[in-house]
Amino acid sequence: MTAEVPRELLGSNDIAGLERWLAEHAPYEIADELARAEEVEAVLLFRLLDKDRALTVFEELDPVDQHKVLSGLRDRAFRDVVEGMDPDDRARLLGEAPAKFARHVLAGLSPRERGLTAALLGYPEHTVGRYMSPETVAVRHRFTADEALGVVRQRGPDAETVYTLPVIDERRCFLGTVSLRDLVLSPPDLPVAEIADGFTPRVRATDDVEEAARLMQDANLLALPVVDSEDRVLGLLTIDDALEVIEAADTEDFARQSAATPWTGHYMSASVVALARSRALWLLLLIVAATLTVNVLQFFESTLERITALALFIPLLVGTGGNAGAQAATAAVRALAVGEVRTRDVPRVAWRECRVGLLLGAMLAVVGLVIGTVIVEFTVAASVAVSLVLVCAWAATIGATMPLLARWVGIDPAVISAPLVTTLVDATGLVIYFLVARFVFGL
Amino acid sequence: MTAEVPRELLGSNDIAGLERWLAEHAPYEIADELARAEEVEAVLLFRLLDKDRALTVFEELDPVDQHKVLSGLRDRAFRDVVEGMDPDDRARLLGEAPAKFARHVLAGLSPRERGLTAALLGYPEHTVGRYMSPETVAVRHRFTADEALGVVRQRGPDAETVYTLPVIDERRCFLGTVSLRDLVLSPPDLPVAEIADGFTPRVRATDDVEEAARLMQDANLLALPVVDSEDRVLGLLTIDDALEVIEAADTEDFARQSAATPWTGHYMSASVVALARSRALWLLLLIVAATLTVNVLQFFESTLERITALALFIPLLVGTGGNAGAQAATAAVRALAVGEVRTRDVPRVAWRECRVGLLLGAMLAVVGLVIGTVIVEFTVAASVAVSLVLVCAWAATIGATMPLLARWVGIDPAVISAPLVTTLVDATGLVIYFLVARFVFGL
């Protein structure tokens, strides 16, 4: 969707051409190119930007890419960029960077900016405190709309947003919010207390930032007030940061759903080793878990030797069970993520999914019976068909309930990945298959 | 995270208690309860809200739930709600509702609102036109900041947002945007042309809405101008609508990744049959595709009869290959969705993933060799180990490239689900396994 820097400009070091390209593109497009580029090229491009524009582009980068660009800058340019960042962006960058780099950055900051950043870094990772903007314009509830607008004019230039203003009492305690829109559209002498929205939710700085971000999405907020334990306003979580949190969380969930460890950074700039590392641990665990299937088959080896045709349907049967389980697990993980299901729904979910699995299993059994009879013979086909019903019901039930149980015991439900469910269903599905087959064949 | 209506209040029809609960909760919390409730209870609760509040709550509902609530309202209340909706929300509701219901709604509207809605409904589904807010405040580039604020005061009450204002010339053509923040903070006599941002992207009303929403996220916009083919401003796509689009698209991608057809609506209120239906088609296709594994095994049946121990490792081998393929496919689908990978990256992605797969396969081969030798014997274990390397490399390569190729030919890449990749890898993995085994055993 975005334009790409012509490779030949970079290759030939055509400075005039690159400057023209930069002048013609928006900051977010330039940021996208910097993210995709190798370090040397990214730094070259970044240095060609004038100071104001450089800062805007820099703010659009992810922390990983900010680090990449900064590493290539000389002291003066380095300090300018770091000093110009918003405190919350700076805290996020430092939180993810090596300690030595973080100390270097903090040392170069003005005392005011250092203080703001240090305060945010004091909050644990993944809390609202790390992501909030401390430079907020709050208004007193006794002010009139016009007085409040005066405060916005005076303190607005430093604030990250002025569209949502926390309303506070004398002790800086949170009373609600007022929007700049309502301030502008109201009669100038109307008290803020009368136009404020007392239902705006607020969160603690120590709350989980993903939950706060999803709350903003649910409640359609552009900014969410952040308070301390005594309900005093500390800052605002803005929608652009919330969006980043949600996108990162969804990307994590996607990765986890395929049994990969989430990694930070751009897919195209991740090294082969980094990609392999993000997937290795789960593959190892899963292959060890899959050893169970070898044990099960070994246990039933005599049955298998007598009726070799049973082996032909093993991949089809365990594959189908795995698919049914994966569907149910994914639906449950997503429903939990967007807040449609709560942990106490376990019995209802289990009962629903069991019936869904029986329905699907019955449908697949008909197909299995036909395929089996055509390719081999009726008794094997009958074993496959009956097993499909039972395996699908079992797979859907445990696939959907495992993520809920995970959340219940405090584990990220997305860890219950489709491959994990598949692997577990494989072994149990084989047990079901061979027990059914023994019964059908009268063994 | 949100509070739940006490079941006993609903059960005993305790109107006073329910009204107290409604008064104490924010609109988004009430909307969440309505979405979870059965139709009769949802309508009961909704009717207890006073008119203004009812509208705010109604706007927080998804179209499916809006339809649920409306179906239970009598004519007068029905018309009030429908007339009070924003045109874009109304268009979305009508677009998804049965035709008879849509005609009934349109007939009850005032001519102005009907006209606005009909215009939006004229755009195809999934285009920006269906989601944009036509009630926009645009300002002329020759205005001063103060004059522009006057326009905001005058036309703002009807507009969905006033934080991003399109700047237009005499022919209503798009020149850029100016933010309410900059208007409020600038000297009153500064021309709008001087504070406007000419780099704000715009989209056509006929563009794909998901791409537009991701662009807003990339460029950190609260609203994105929408223009016609002659660059005249038609409206704005606001961030709350963009968020809904992104959430729905991600939910769809999640469903597709597990080979389920996305369905609209709440997981807990979907019927067992609806859930089963959303998963049935893919399971059927996949079980038919899995028949290939039966054919492959049948082809190698003589090998299998001579060395039954080979059968023991079938689920482990195809399972591991499937997992490696699913990881790569999911990474590629997500990278495409968030714009990190483009279709022309196919060769680079294929080569990277092939090496990732070889690395992972080599690691797993060591584990497979140990497991195989302990449980059975060395020759079988060696066959498994060599197959693991080849299968993982193959699975990662085709898992990652298939979604890119799908996008290239114009299919939603998320359709290349983990189960689809798994099923395809199953059959080819078996071929690799038996060919390797024949070679190792010198058959």
Side-chain angles (χ1 to χ4, degrees):
Chain A
M1 196 150 61
T2 53
E4 208 173 329
V5 177
R7 289 292 118 196
E8 61 275 18
L9 291 182
L10 276 170
S12 63
N13 258 320
D14 175 354
I15 301 298
L18 288 173
E19 281 182 332
R20 209 161 38 237
W21 187 89
L22 290 170
E24 282 163 5
H25 287 83
Y28 75 93
E29 292 173 310
I30 299 170
D32 195 48
E33 276 309 302
L34 294 182
R36 291 173 59 91
E38 305 286 327
E39 184 180 321
V40 182
E41 296 177 343
V43 172
L44 166 69
L45 275 174
F46 188 77
R47 281 208 198 135
L48 292 178
L49 293 164
D50 63 59
K51 201 174 143 189
D52 279 355
R53 211 131 186 267
L55 201 56
T56 317
V57 169
F58 192 79
E59 280 173 349
E60 304 262 354
L61 291 172
D62 286 338
V64 186
D65 299 312
Q66 289 181 332
H67 189 216
K68 180 171 82 177
V69 168
L70 276 179
S71 321
L73 293 185
R74 265 159 306 192
D75 260 16
R76 178 64 189 281
F78 182 96
R79 262 211 303 280
D80 282 348
V81 168
V82 174
E83 179 78 20
M85 290 176 79
D86 283 328
D88 55 324
D89 292 338
R90 201 188 291 126
R92 218 134 65 236
L93 168 64
L94 298 187
E96 289 180 18
K100 198 181 149 199
F101 176 84
R103 276 197 302 274
H104 179 52
V105 169
L106 282 170
L109 288 177
S110 65
R112 176 188 141 80
E113 293 292 329
R114 186 161 54 229
L116 284 172
T117 307
L120 299 191
L121 279 172
Y123 294 102
E125 270 187 274
H126 309 298
T127 61
V128 174
R130 279 283 178 102
Y131 291 81
M132 69 181 177
S133 311
E135 296 170 299
T136 305
V137 181
V139 296
R140 291 287 169 86
H141 65 126
R142 290 193 199 287
F143 282 1
T144 62
D146 202 44
E147 285 170 336
L149 273 178
V151 178
V152 171
R153 289 216 176 78
Q154 187 193 327
R155 298 224 223 104
D158 281 335
E160 191 167 327
T161 180
V162 294
Y163 295 142
T164 302
L165 310 166
V167 178
I168 52 173
D169 64 13
E170 288 71 19
R171 289 164 35 253
R172 232 191 132 66
C173 283
F174 178 80
L175 293 175
T177 55
V178 66
S179 68
L180 183 62
R181 174 194 179 121
D182 286 342
L183 285 185
V184 168
L185 298 182
S186 294
D189 53 351
L190 205 67
V192 164
E194 282 185 35
I195 40 178
D197 176 3
F199 274 114
T200 317
R202 77 272 212 184
V203 291
R204 295 269 189 90
T206 49
D207 283 350
D208 179 74
V209 72
E210 186 187 339
E211 278 186 38
R214 301 250 183 226
L215 172 64
M216 289 182 70
Q217 182 165 15
D218 269 3
N220 280 337
L221 303 175
L222 295 181
L224 176 64
V226 183
V227 296
D228 66 12
S229 60
E230 286 162 50
D231 224 17
R232 277 178 310 226
V233 173
L234 296 174
L236 286 170
L237 181 63
T238 51
I239 187 73
D240 54 322
D241 293 326
L243 269 173
E244 252 175 50
V245 168
I246 290 176
E247 182 177 303
D250 282 352
T251 299
E252 261 188 49
D253 280 2
F254 265 98
R256 290 227 174 85
Q257 264 308 287
S258 72
T261 319
W263 80 94
T264 47
H266 199 285
Y267 174 78
M268 290 308 285
S269 62
S271 71
V272 167
V273 173
L275 283 179
R277 204 184 294 134
S278 78
R279 304 179 190 168
L281 181 65
W282 271 106
L283 282 183
L284 272 176
L285 288 175
L286 291 172
I287 202 170
V288 171
T291 311
L292 211 57
T293 61
V294 183
N295 301 136
V296 170
L297 289 175
Q298 210 174 24
F299 182 82
F300 290 106
E301 207 169 357
S302 61
T303 313
L304 201 54
E305 271 166 2
R306 283 173 65 177
I307 315 148
T308 326
L310 284 176
L312 304 186
F313 292 89
I314 290 177
L316 178 139
L317 186 80
V318 299
T320 305
N323 292 342
Q327 290 178 330
T330 305
V333 166
R334 184 64 182 166
L336 274 170
V338 299
E340 290 183 355
V341 170
R342 299 159 193 185
T343 46
R344 82 186 91 119
D345 291 326
V346 169
R348 272 177 75 193
V349 168
W351 172 228
R352 284 159 59 89
E353 288 287 346
C354 177
R355 286 177 294 160
V356 172
L358 283 174
L359 263 180
L360 291 170
M363 174 191 82
L364 297 172
V366 176
V367 182
L369 198 62
V370 174
I371 295 175
T373 311
V374 170
I375 299 188
V376 195
E377 45 108 11
F378 181 75
T379 16
V380 172
S383 311
V384 171
V386 174
S387 304
L388 276 171
V389 179
L390 299 175
V391 168
C392 285
W394 164 244
T397 311
I398 72 157
T401 47
M402 278 177 62
L404 275 76
L405 294 175
R407 161 75 58 93
W408 189 61
V409 298
I411 301 172
D412 179 351
V415 166
I416 310 301
S417 60
L420 179 59
V421 170
T422 304
T423 305
L424 295 178
V425 168
D426 280 0
T428 45
L430 287 172
V431 174
I432 293 174
Y433 180 43
F434 280 95
L435 290 180
V436 168
R438 277 189 177 179
F439 182 80
V440 170
F441 282 92
L443 293 176
Chain B
M1 195 150 61
T2 54
E4 208 172 332
V5 178
R7 289 292 119 196
E8 60 275 20
L9 291 181
L10 276 171
S12 63
N13 258 319
D14 175 353
I15 301 299
L18 287 172
E19 282 181 331
R20 211 163 34 241
W21 186 89
L22 289 171
E24 282 163 4
H25 287 83
Y28 76 92
E29 294 174 308
I30 298 171
D32 195 49
E33 276 309 303
L34 293 183
R36 290 175 60 90
E38 305 284 327
E39 183 179 321
V40 183
E41 296 177 344
V43 172
L44 167 68
L45 277 172
F46 188 77
R47 282 210 198 132
L48 293 176
L49 293 164
D50 63 58
K51 202 175 140 187
D52 280 355
R53 221 144 175 258
L55 201 57
T56 318
V57 168
F58 192 79
E59 281 173 347
E60 303 263 353
L61 291 172
D62 286 336
V64 186
D65 299 312
Q66 290 181 332
H67 190 211
K68 179 169 84 178
V69 167
L70 276 180
S71 321
L73 292 184
R74 266 160 306 191
D75 260 15
R76 178 64 189 280
F78 182 96
R79 262 210 304 277
D80 282 348
V81 168
V82 174
E83 179 77 21
M85 290 176 80
D86 283 327
D88 56 323
D89 292 338
R90 201 188 292 127
R92 219 137 59 237
L93 168 63
L94 298 188
E96 290 182 17
K100 199 182 146 196
F101 176 85
R103 276 195 302 274
H104 178 52
V105 168
L106 282 171
L109 289 176
S110 65
R112 179 188 138 82
E113 294 292 330
R114 187 162 53 228
L116 284 172
T117 307
L120 299 191
L121 279 172
Y123 294 102
E125 271 189 272
H126 310 299
T127 61
V128 174
R130 279 283 179 102
Y131 290 81
M132 69 180 178
S133 311
E135 296 171 299
T136 306
V137 181
V139 295
R140 290 288 169 85
H141 65 126
R142 293 194 196 286
F143 283 1
T144 62
D146 203 43
E147 284 169 336
L149 273 178
V151 177
V152 170
R153 288 214 177 79
Q154 187 194 328
R155 299 223 222 104
D158 281 334
E160 192 168 325
T161 181
V162 293
Y163 295 142
T164 303
L165 310 168
V167 178
I168 52 174
D169 63 15
E170 289 72 21
R171 289 163 35 254
R172 230 191 133 69
C173 283
F174 178 80
L175 293 175
T177 57
V178 66
S179 68
L180 184 62
R181 175 194 179 121
D182 286 341
L183 285 185
V184 168
L185 297 181
S186 295
D189 52 352
L190 205 65
V192 164
E194 280 185 36
I195 40 180
D197 176 3
F199 274 116
T200 318
R202 77 273 212 182
V203 291
R204 294 269 188 93
T206 47
D207 283 351
D208 179 76
V209 71
E210 185 187 339
E211 277 184 38
R214 303 251 183 225
L215 172 65
M216 288 182 70
Q217 182 165 14
D218 269 3
N220 280 336
L221 304 175
L222 295 180
L224 175 64
V226 183
V227 296
D228 65 13
S229 59
E230 285 162 53
D231 224 18
R232 279 178 309 223
V233 173
L234 295 174
L236 286 169
L237 181 63
T238 53
I239 187 74
D240 54 324
D241 293 326
L243 270 174
E244 254 175 49
V245 168
I246 290 175
E247 183 179 301
D250 282 352
T251 299
E252 263 187 49
D253 280 2
F254 265 98
R256 290 228 174 85
Q257 264 308 288
S258 71
T261 319
W263 81 94
T264 47
H266 199 284
Y267 174 78
M268 290 308 284
S269 61
S271 71
V272 167
V273 174
L275 283 179
R277 203 182 296 133
S278 77
R279 302 178 191 168
L281 181 66
W282 271 106
L283 282 182
L284 273 175
L285 288 175
L286 291 172
I287 203 172
V288 171
T291 310
L292 211 57
T293 61
V294 183
N295 301 136
V296 170
L297 289 175
Q298 210 175 20
F299 182 82
F300 291 106
E301 207 170 356
S302 60
T303 314
L304 201 54
E305 271 166 2
R306 284 172 65 174
I307 314 148
T308 327
L310 284 177
L312 304 186
F313 292 90
I314 289 175
L316 178 137
L317 186 80
V318 298
T320 303
N323 292 342
Q327 290 178 330
T330 306
V333 166
R334 184 64 180 166
L336 273 170
V338 299
E340 289 181 355
V341 170
R342 300 161 194 184
T343 44
R344 82 187 90 120
D345 291 327
V346 168
R348 272 177 74 194
V349 168
W351 172 228
R352 283 158 61 88
E353 289 288 346
C354 176
R355 284 176 295 161
V356 172
L358 282 173
L359 264 180
L360 292 170
M363 171 192 82
L364 296 172
V366 176
V367 182
L369 198 64
V370 174
I371 295 175
T373 312
V374 171
I375 299 188
V376 193
E377 44 108 12
F378 180 76
T379 16
V380 172
S383 310
V384 171
V386 174
S387 304
L388 276 171
V389 179
L390 299 176
V391 169
C392 284
W394 166 243
T397 310
I398 72 155
T401 46
M402 277 177 62
L404 275 76
L405 294 176
R407 161 76 57 93
W408 190 61
V409 299
I411 301 173
D412 180 351
V415 165
I416 310 301
S417 60
L420 179 60
V421 170
T422 305
T423 305
L424 294 178
V425 168
D426 280 2
T428 44
L430 286 172
V431 173
I432 293 174
Y433 180 44
F434 279 95
L435 289 179
V436 168
R438 278 189 177 180
F439 182 81
V440 170
F441 282 92
L443 293 176

